[in-house]
């Protein structure tokens, strides 16, 4: 059962080939036995999962259940789950049990989706390797000495290891697409405002966006349909109709104009990765698409602009963790100042502290104009690059990351090398555009991702393109060695 896609599981559930209880128990057993080798799942909610599965089986028997009813998934531990620990990968929230569900969690609950547990992640979603988690690193199922990517590395590794057929994830600068690429699965970061951020622990509010991860585009379409939609509890959530993403998956891509930015194939891109991406583009060309070379001239400014804006927003968002309201509190504080400073020094890891320092510095009175103000101007330029490009083309494609999964510790001492992992993904977040990663090849037995960037609210088109690609290629079906 664990090798079936979500679309296939739905068929099996609806034709009563297996029940949701059987399916749920199967994945729970896999998590119990295999997860210790990957550390992808940090909380298992077996009892709740089986209860939800029993209800789902009744709804399925009644005959009018929503498509995803009875399908088990995992939630990234950044989404608040009622009565279930939500740690955001941090010691600061190791004891936090939310009294409410995030809207995304509610939406899945409405549709009868079963939650197997919560996935490991970089602390407060800051990272590209999952090495910053308080719960330890996640192992990439494709290469046990390599990182799975981050920050949604737990979700990506769990899907690659067949511990769940799908999962939720979030992307502030690449955290859905980069781990999807490094773990050989499919992941979609929707348009900013497409999916509610309510109950999703905030990192950088103007960039954060939740989205689905699964093995195929067809499965991502099903998950996104359930997740997306207007939510009055999130003031940046957009009231825009949610299309039936599955309905347009059969459309031909003949005549599609694919923009290929020359800046995405520059120095620093691994040769094998470039080759795999070029071959994938040729496959789409053979299906009738047209490749058009374009330029996004401000691409090189996206990482510097992001590393001002994201830490600035993070420093404001994380000021709430002070040992007073909830979360970690240091022992025996001398006075209020000591409570604040020791709680934060002991509760936050090194990368989170680095971001808070950068953020508060950039926002301080004397430097605001020089750093934060400037970065916001650069953000506009980056957005304009895309706006002009989309006048000529329908989608943009290139690599998701500069190279395949890297070894543990190899970028640990060099934050800038780690930040450059997201060189091709960050601009999309700054512009608020949707982006996707689709498995498109292997280099040294490690997966490579093809990135598809769409115009605002073009998720249906992107999913269709990815689906067409997956109809003629097999990369999304590859299984890591040792995973049975
Ligand atoms: N790797 C980037 C960072 O560390 C992006 C993380 C994310 O998208 N959450 O900030």
């Amino acid at each position: 059962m664990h090798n079936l896609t979500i679309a296939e599981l739905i068929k099996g559930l609806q034709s009563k080939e297996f029940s949701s209880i059987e399916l749920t128990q199967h994945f729970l057993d896999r998590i119990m036995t295999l997860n210790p080798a990957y550390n992808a799942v940090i909380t298992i909610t077996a009892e709740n999962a089986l209860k939800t599965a029993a209800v789902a089986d009744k709804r399925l028997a009644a005959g009018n259940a929503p498509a995803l009813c009875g399908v088990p998934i995992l939630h990234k531990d950044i989404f608040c789950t009622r009565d279930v620990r939500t740690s955001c990968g941090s010691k600061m929230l190791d004891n936090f049990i939310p009294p409410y569900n995030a809207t995304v969690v509610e939406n899945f609950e409405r549709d009868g989706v079963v939650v197997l547990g919560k996935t490991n992640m970089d602390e407060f979603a800051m990272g590209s390797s999952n090495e910053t988690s308080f719960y330890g690193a996640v192992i990439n199922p494709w290469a046990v000495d390599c990182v799975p990517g981050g920050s949604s590395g737990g979700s990506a590794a769990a899907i690659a290891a067949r511990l769940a057929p799908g999962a939720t994830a979030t992307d502030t600068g690449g955290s859905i697409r980069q781990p999807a690429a490094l773990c050989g699965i499919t992941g979609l970061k929707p348009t900013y405002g497409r999916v509610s951020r309510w109950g999703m622990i905030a990192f950088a509010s103007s960039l954060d966006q939740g989205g689905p991860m699964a093995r195929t585009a067809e499965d991502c379409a099903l998950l996104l349909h359930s997740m997306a939609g207007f939510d009055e509890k999130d003031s940046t959530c957009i009231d825009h109709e949610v299309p039936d993403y599955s309905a347009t998956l059969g459309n031909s891509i003949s005549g599609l104009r694919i923009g290929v930015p020359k800046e995405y194939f520059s120095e620093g891109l691994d040769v094998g990765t470039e080759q795999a991406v070029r071959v994938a583009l040729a496959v789409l060309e053979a299906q009738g698409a047209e490749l058009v070379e374009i330029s996004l001239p401000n691409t090189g400014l996206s990482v510097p602009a992001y590393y001002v804006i994201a830490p600035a927003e993070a420093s404001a968002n994380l000021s709430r963790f002070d040992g007073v309201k909830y979360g970690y509190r240091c022992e025996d504080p001398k006075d209020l100042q000591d409570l604040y400073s020791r709680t934060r020094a002991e509760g936050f890891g090194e990368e989170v502290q680095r971001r808070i320092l950068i953020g508060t510095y950039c926002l301080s009175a004397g430097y605001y104009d020089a750093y934060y103000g400037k970065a916001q101007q650069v953000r506009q330029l980056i957005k304009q690059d895309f706006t002009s490009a989309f006048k000529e083309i329908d989608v943009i494609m290139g690599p998701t990351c500069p190279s395949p999964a890297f070894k543990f510790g190899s970028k640990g001492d060099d934050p800038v090398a780690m930040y450059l992992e997201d060189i091709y993904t960050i601009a999309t977040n700054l512009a608020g555009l949707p982006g996707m990663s689709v498995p498109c090849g292997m280099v040294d037995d490690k997966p490579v991702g093809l990135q598809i960037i769409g115009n605002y609210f073009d998720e249906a088109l992107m999913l269709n393109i990815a689906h067409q690609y997956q109809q003629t290629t097999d990369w999304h079906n590859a299984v890591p060695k040792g995973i049975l």
Side-chain angles (χ1 to χ4, degrees), residues 76 78 122 124-129 150-152 170-178 203 208 306-307 310 351 355 418-419 421-422 425-426 429:
K76 181 176 181 179
I78 197 169
D122 275 303
F124 284 103
M126 298 174 191
S128 302
S129 67
S151 64
S152 314
T170 63
D171 191 311
T172 303
S175 279
I176 291 181
R177 291 160 286 163
Q178 186 253 10
F203 163 11
D208 298 342
Y306 173 91
Y307 278 98
E351 183 60 25
R355 306 270 180 127
M418 188 72 89
Y419 297 169
E421 252 310 280
D422 295 322
T425 50
I426 275 180
N429 300 72

Side-chain angles (χ1 to χ4, degrees), residues 85-253:
R85 181 185 69 174
T86 301
S87 71
C88 218
S90 182
K91 177 177 178 184
M92 190 60 94
L93 290 177
D94 181 49
N95 63 1
F96 175 52
I97 300 186
Y100 62 92
N101 277 336
T103 298
V104 161
V105 174
E106 280 290 308
N107 289 350
F108 278 122
E109 218 172 271
R110 170 201 67 208
D111 290 343
V113 170
V114 175
V115 182
L116 299 165
K118 311 283 300 280
T119 58
N120 202 348
M121 56 180 284
D122 275 303
E123 185 178 8
F124 284 103
M126 298 174 191
S128 302
S129 67
N130 234 292
E131 293 169 294
T132 73
S133 170
F134 174 59
Y135 303 95
V138 175
I139 313 292
N140 189 324
W142 289 93
V144 292
D145 55 345
C146 287
V147 306
S151 64
S152 314
S155 293
I159 294 169
R162 275 64 174 163
L163 305 184
T168 54
T170 63
D171 191 311
T172 303
S175 279
I176 291 181
R177 291 160 286 163
Q178 186 253 10
L182 270 44
C183 289
I185 61 154
T186 305
L188 169 67
K189 175 204 106 69
T191 306
Y192 183 77
R194 173 75 294 183
V195 169
S196 170
R197 290 185 299 110
W198 195 76
M200 195 176 104
I201 295 170
F203 163 11
S205 309
S206 77
L207 303 158
D208 298 342
Q209 187 59 200
M213 277 182 169
R215 293 213 303 278
T216 66
E218 188 183 23
D219 288 357
C220 284
L222 288 157
L223 294 174
L224 182 62
H225 187 255
S226 188
M227 290 175 91
F230 180 60
D231 177 11
E232 60 183 19
K233 297 206 251 4
D234 170 5
S235 60
T236 58
C237 194
I238 300 173
D239 194 358
H240 193 277
E241 197 204 333
V242 181
D244 179 354
Y245 297 110
S246 306
T248 42
L249 291 180
N251 290 359
S252 152
I253 59 162

